[in-house]
Amino acid sequence: MPSIHNVLQMSCLCLLFHCLFVGVSAAPLAEFSGQYGHLSSDQTFQQFLTNNLEFIAKIKDKSQGLRKIFCQELSLCQEDELAVLKEQLRLYPATLDQCQSSSYNLENCFNQVQSGLQTYHSLFSVVEKVLSGRALIVSHLRHDIEDLQSNFRQQMEQLSIVPVNYPAAEVSFPSTFHEQAGGYLIVCNLQHSMETLIRALRALLRQ
């Protein structure tokens, strides 16, 4: 049989672990510390997250659909095969590092989201040109990007977040193939950005 000393020792350890667990569970997450700590219980903000997570998921799915069209109609199917071209054209996914870092910064994150969506909205003119036979599908997705940008802009206004103006993206295509591949990469980048944004917003959502 265990001694009284061992029983008391185990009881103290259990109590210690319980206190640590409660302390960690009750501690505010880094994403909601400081100025925006109240957002963890703000129903309006939580509804914003829920609604836009659904919207972002739809944009991601639509971008995947466009990738299939590029594959079927232009035989552009493998993103990794265009790595060199991506470097040449400097077509990268929108920067969202402030939405992923451990020191999550809500202001910087939302500004990066705004800038990224603005870039995709302007670059989608390339996709519209390349997939001219699918103009309706492409224009609907471009309109979705614009609506999502508007949603974030309104939320930033409500939170009194000052918008930061980033330089507009400029891309030139030396050949028709470069333009076609560029359109495909833009769609791929959009999908990746939406996946990143879904993970970032889920971290803010309180179930």
Side-chain angles (χ1 to χ4, degrees):
M1 293 181 62
S3 66
I4 295 176
H5 174 74
N6 289 337
V7 170
L8 289 173
Q9 191 176 42
M10 288 299 295
S11 298
C12 290
L13 285 173
C14 290
L15 180 61
L16 176 62
F17 285 133
H18 174 73
C19 292
L20 287 172
F21 176 77
V22 171
V24 170
S25 300
L29 296 180
E31 293 90 335
F32 281 119
S33 60
Q35 181 181 356
Y36 300 104
H38 66 284
L39 294 179
S40 60
S41 58
D42 187 306
Q43 294 301 314
T44 300
F45 183 76
Q46 292 296 308
Q47 192 61 51
F48 162 81
L49 294 176
T50 300
N51 293 343
N52 284 281
L53 273 167
E54 295 175 1
F55 196 13
I56 293 165
K58 290 179 181 179
I59 292 176
K60 179 183 72 71
D61 291 343
K62 287 183 179 181
S63 64
Q64 288 177 317
L66 277 185
R67 289 184 66 167
K68 292 179 181 179
I69 293 174
F70 269 98
C71 185
Q72 294 167 357
E73 299 186 0
L74 297 172
S75 298
L76 291 166
C77 306
Q78 300 299 324
E79 182 183 356
D80 54 355
E81 293 178 358
L82 300 172
V84 174
L85 193 61
K86 178 184 285 190
E87 292 288 335
Q88 292 176 348
L89 298 175
R90 301 185 64 81
L91 282 173
Y92 309 112
T95 302
L96 294 173
D97 60 294
Q98 293 297 314
C99 301
Q100 305 175 75
S101 64
S102 56
S103 56
Y104 194 104
N105 186 305
L106 190 67
E107 292 187 27
N108 292 345
C109 171
F110 276 32
N111 266 304
Q112 285 186 336
V113 171
Q114 273 281 71
S115 175
L117 292 173
Q118 179 59 45
T119 296
Y120 287 124
H121 184 265
S122 61
L123 289 177
F124 246 64
S125 60
V126 178
V127 182
E128 286 178 329
K129 181 179 179 181
V130 172
L131 297 180
S132 57
R134 303 284 188 152
L136 188 60
I137 296 175
V138 178
S139 64
H140 279 172
L141 181 50
R142 192 179 190 186
H143 186 69
D144 287 343
I145 296 170
E146 185 177 12
D147 285 346
L148 182 61
Q149 184 184 12
S150 177
N151 292 348
F152 271 87
R153 182 166 56 248
Q154 290 175 16
Q155 187 62 44
M156 289 172 69
E157 290 174 357
Q158 292 178 20
L159 296 174
S160 299
I161 295 177
V162 179
V164 176
N165 295 319
Y166 293 90
E170 295 183 4
V171 184
S172 59
F173 303 97
S175 71
T176 300
F177 172 73
H178 282 80
E179 190 170 51
Q180 292 173 344
Y184 176 68
L185 288 172
I186 290 167
V187 171
C188 293
N189 289 344
L190 175 63
Q191 178 188 336
H192 296 324
S193 291
M194 294 302 100
E195 290 168 349
T196 298
L197 194 51
I198 286 172
R199 290 193 295 272
L201 294 188
R202 278 178 178 166
L204 299 178
L205 188 63
R206 294 294 177 266
Q207 300 293 344

